[in-house]
Amino acid sequence: MKSARIGMIGCGSMSRYHGKMFGPITGARVVALCDPNQQNLDRYQREIFDPLDQHPPQFADYREMLAKVDLDGVMIVTPHTQHFEQASAALAAGRHVLVEKPMVVTVEHARKLIAHAKRAKRVVSVAFPGSFAEEFAYIRGLLGRGELGEVVAVQGFVAQRWLTTTRGAWRQDPKLSGGGFAYDSGAHLLHAMLFLSDLRPTEVFAWTNHRGAPVDILTAVMMRFANGALGTANCCGEDVRGWDESITVSGTKGTVRTSIHGNRLEQWDAQGKLVRYPRVEPVPSLHQNFVDCILGRAQTPCPPVWGLRQALLMEALYESASTSKVVKVRPE
Amino acid sequence: MKSARIGMIGCGSMSRYHGKMFGPITGARVVALCDPNQQNLDRYQREIFDPLDQHPPQFADYREMLAKVDLDGVMIVTPHTQHFEQASAALAAGRHVLVEKPMVVTVEHARKLIAHAKRAKRVVSVAFPGSFAEEFAYIRGLLGRGELGEVVAVQGFVAQRWLTTTRGAWRQDPKLSGGGFAYDSGAHLLHAMLFLSDLRPTEVFAWTNHRGAPVDILTAVMMRFANGALGTANCCGEDVRGWDESITVSGTKGTVRTSIHGNRLEQWDAQGKLVRYPRVEPVPSLHQNFVDCILGRAQTPCPPVWGLRQALLMEALYESASTSKVVKVRPE
Amino acid sequence: MKSARIGMIGCGSMSRYHGKMFGPITGARVVALCDPNQQNLDRYQREIFDPLDQHPPQFADYREMLAKVDLDGVMIVTPHTQHFEQASAALAAGRHVLVEKPMVVTVEHARKLIAHAKRAKRVVSVAFPGSFAEEFAYIRGLLGRGELGEVVAVQGFVAQRWLTTTRGAWRQDPKLSGGGFAYDSGAHLLHAMLFLSDLRPTEVFAWTNHRGAPVDILTAVMMRFANGALGTANCCGEDVRGWDESITVSGTKGTVRTSIHGNRLEQWDAQGKLVRYPRVEPVPSLHQNFVDCILGRAQTPCPPVWGLRQALLMEALYESASTSKVVKVRPE
Amino acid sequence: MKSARIGMIGCGSMSRYHGKMFGPITGARVVALCDPNQQNLDRYQREIFDPLDQHPPQFADYREMLAKVDLDGVMIVTPHTQHFEQASAALAAGRHVLVEKPMVVTVEHARKLIAHAKRAKRVVSVAFPGSFAEEFAYIRGLLGRGELGEVVAVQGFVAQRWLTTTRGAWRQDPKLSGGGFAYDSGAHLLHAMLFLSDLRPTEVFAWTNHRGAPVDILTAVMMRFANGALGTANCCGEDVRGWDESITVSGTKGTVRTSIHGNRLEQWDAQGKLVRYPRVEPVPSLHQNFVDCILGRAQTPCPPVWGLRQALLMEALYESASTSKVVKVRPE
């Protein structure tokens, strides 16, 4: 069987993580690397490919890689504001696209990318780990079958030692990141709030605090959903803890609590009893799913409409934060 | 040594709980009961006093009890909107007052009650269990010594099967309760956010959803504190769970997580390490402290200024909820 | 449909517990009570039947109950040494039997009871909660399908504040109990070691310490199983804790840890990874199963051979404890 | 202030761990390495010293190191049966000794080493991490002050994927290890049973199972202590889990549960209540303590008498395992 040939756009630390994840997948092969920074390329080669005695070609410019290498798909792991251009180019070159979160950082880019993908008849998959986790699939199954009843409240938080650990990195440069902690780790939480409630926010209220940094470090958000449910999110990028987070979805017939990446689950039934052995089914990994999408045998659980939904939410969020007023979320 | 003689105003289920707690305290004695509902009086007598072979006098009207019984203090466990009048009358009669949360439900009542207490030279103590818990005392000790650094984020939630279990009870009658879930269980969370951060909110934003009930069932709240710290609170009164809640205070040098009633504690130090054996010192119980206050040998950790702070917060919260706008919290 | 008519032999506190459990089962009805102690009968009537406005006949002598009441089955909840005679009489009267653990306290009684049941063509079911728990069924499923590989080690403990809480009660009278803590709470652990390993012990070594009581309070046990696997059990009847226990079964392909009553489960797979969502299937309760057995639509997961196995083990255990030598377990 | 100059005898993986631990200690310096295997020396140099740009001399023979380098102390991290000779030589050369567990593997060696240390007026400290943990110090404080009452039961287990991971290594060569899993990871558990109960075992019963390996893989042990308390230990060296263990000490006034290395603690008081905030005081690390011993400002919590006690216990354990009879532990 043909292997899916994948090119990496962006070879920093998250990209190396993804490279390792692609490794054991039968039918997948990373066949080209691209990064303007030669040190990133060298380290990627050393850590991922040297042990396998493989030497994929390296490129400084992704356009050159797209032009010269026969690829089935690309994975994009670059600063947020570059995603749109790179993904669009890859689609134009007929490649499938797996793109790190956030998909893009403006609503217009989101709409255009959806159109590009449609025209190119190629898959765009947004790499939120949560959306590819068995726990998220399970919760959406509960929602779909009505087993949580009507969702009435969603609340979550993400706390991370982020202000100091990303200081000076592109993540705190708004031209590259499109936003601060709320658009980085916060993106996982905010996406999960929509994905796990299956509700659309109609109004958003937010405050941010930059704590002297060039981007938002603290963000408090409230959402009013279409059915009147209320959501709260607290993104604290100046915590002493390396990482802590949780999301809870309360419905009239059940409540679930999980990580914003999946990986753990508590469920309470209509009587409020903890469900001791929830029937969570394994699902293919993010990386396996992308290969399956390329090979035409699966669909992504996180298509680009989720990138649009996040862009719409973030647009409202930042406008609210700058005006201290409720902002309506534009329709999809 | 003289025993503190205590009269109970309100003899429902929470009052019986308090009656049991007073039982084992040397130097305290409940010597009079008052409730307009004879069934409450009967059940109180049967459950608390029959086993002790005690038969304190019973009253339907607290004014009569105040007039006829030689009391040192009263505990008020009645619908929220009655607290002010009852506490004021008790102070006027020279009694110390231990009052269930919320102390009162308007700012004006809070200010007046503080004045009454001052004039009467009597203690008013607000019965938030958290404020009398060793964990809260410990956290305030950390704050006072600067061991948490500057507080930057406070986040919490309280979820309870409340809509159905209090349906038809006074708690859902706004004339008696002054508000809904946010003013009942929510009051613990919102108080804890102020008490455990030692910050004053300057602005509040809130949405509520009555879910068809006469009072708020779902409440989402954000607070901006004087130093720019951000707080989020999610009060979900329509949860399948009997009770679940948590509050986290993140400072620049440490983070703490506890229950809104105390009773558990996680603490992370400046390096983000979980503090394995925090030095939490035991403190006298809520009931012991009231007796100690009466006997002049202690002060309450929860004086009526906390009742005023809550009233100021709730005033802003409900105004925001009704206008969907940010509301400034009036100064103390 | 006909209801299963059940008579209770022994109406103390454990019996009342069982009475409550039979309550909600469709197709089951407790129709007669028997206890030589009128206070037990009165309390049973008051707590279980008065709320239902039922008044089943009461007997001091179980023989009279067996003779006068049309019963399908009996539940025996009496001092251990009485089980054999009562169960035998019930079988002779054509009744099915659900008997509290231990089934009997001698090997000869166990063999005879098995013969009686066979002759009477009636069910005898031994009421170990663990053996009726979904976790035990799940673990035996793993064992049966070879998913734990070969069991090599079994270890467990049970610790309880038992010395003081059963002082003066029949449980510390060897004529009634047949043994001490090891034959009371210990019986659950020791049974579980056989039931969850599906191994037969060939040799036993044990020490006991009476701690001044008429029966064993501390018991340390080792078992060598037929395949060479080793088991250790620590029964501590003089612990400050009300109750604590655990049992772990280690196989070459997996390890499981559960309570000696079921109700919780940890499982590690062949790679040593915790199995996050084990496929534990619900099973009928102990009480439902007895009714199902009576109605001929199920078999008991705990037939009397388990009573025999326990008797064989306990015989060897107590002989070892009195000789300080290894004792071979007699064959079934 | 003078630094303590330390030589490493044995430079395998555990030694590198210790080397890293000595790193941050002011007043300590590893100044010489010794290992017959040049690869071990190279890796030690590369991982520990290259980053510090230090190049301590290397030796293949510890006698040469002792002769040529001015040392205050040595740490011995070699196969168990070599400890005696190496420690004795170091003492003869006037060096203090920190020796990995087990100190030695025969009673006679233990007695001689104690005599050597006495004669040389040098410290021998046995490197059980547990004995240097704050939790162990705390528990021994409770014991010393009688806060656990009389210890009546001790139970523990250690389970590890050991059979396959140490196959072919010296740990499964009885000439080098002196025993199998029970003398390796089991040594921690068995030592902890004596150390945390402060009781001496008078009789031991044990079974072992080699599972086809040259040394014991499964060991079940029972101990009868001088006061009649009973101990059980289950050492399972063929578990799927990488590592799991626990030890519980039950006294008449309290129970404690900890890891066999310390690092966690549960304590129940005389009423059986979990002690929420035990007053565990920090203690110097194993490595800091050795430096403090060298500098004459501290004593070791784990002097060589503990090595003797373990040797006496293991002697009885292996004799019992080979005879299937109770063996009396020889007096100290």
Side-chain angles (χ1 to χ4, degrees), chain B residues 105-117:
Chain B
V105 294
T106 73
V107 171
E108 272 40 67
H109 282 170
R111 294 200 200 280
K112 280 186 186 163
L113 194 62
I114 290 173
H116 293 168

Side-chain angles (χ1 to χ4, degrees), chain A residues 11-82:
Chain A
C11 292
S13 66
M14 272 311 292
S15 179
R16 291 194 296 275
Y17 162 78
H18 288 299
K20 271 171 213 156
M21 293 297 108
F22 274 119
I25 296 176
T26 315
R29 222 177 132 192
V30 175
V31 296
L33 300 181
C34 165
D35 198 294
N37 180 336
Q38 184 62 38
Q39 285 187 318
N40 277 347
L41 291 167
D42 290 346
R43 188 160 171 199
Y44 203 113
Q45 172 63 40
R46 193 167 66 241
E47 291 185 14
I48 313 294
F49 289 115
D50 281 356
L52 303 168
D53 200 24
Q54 293 177 7
H55 299 271
Q58 300 182 347
F59 300 88
D61 186 329
Y62 70 92
R63 290 170 200 282
E64 195 187 341
M65 180 178 82
L66 289 172
K68 293 199 176 158
V69 188
D70 173 26
L71 297 170
D72 295 298
V74 297
M75 173 149 208
I76 298 173
V77 195
T78 55
H80 306 159
T81 54
Q82 305 177 357

Side-chain angles (χ1 to χ4, degrees), chain A residues 134-135 262-265 276-282, chain C residues 134-135 262-265 276-282:
Chain A
E134 56 199 3
E135 291 82 2
N263 300 326
R264 62 175 192 260
L265 178 73
R276 215 185 278 160
Y277 306 109
R279 300 271 139 176
V280 179
E281 302 282 348
Chain C
E134 55 199 2
E135 292 83 3
N263 301 326
R264 63 175 191 258
L265 178 73
R276 214 184 279 161
Y277 305 109
R279 301 269 139 177
V280 179
E281 301 282 348

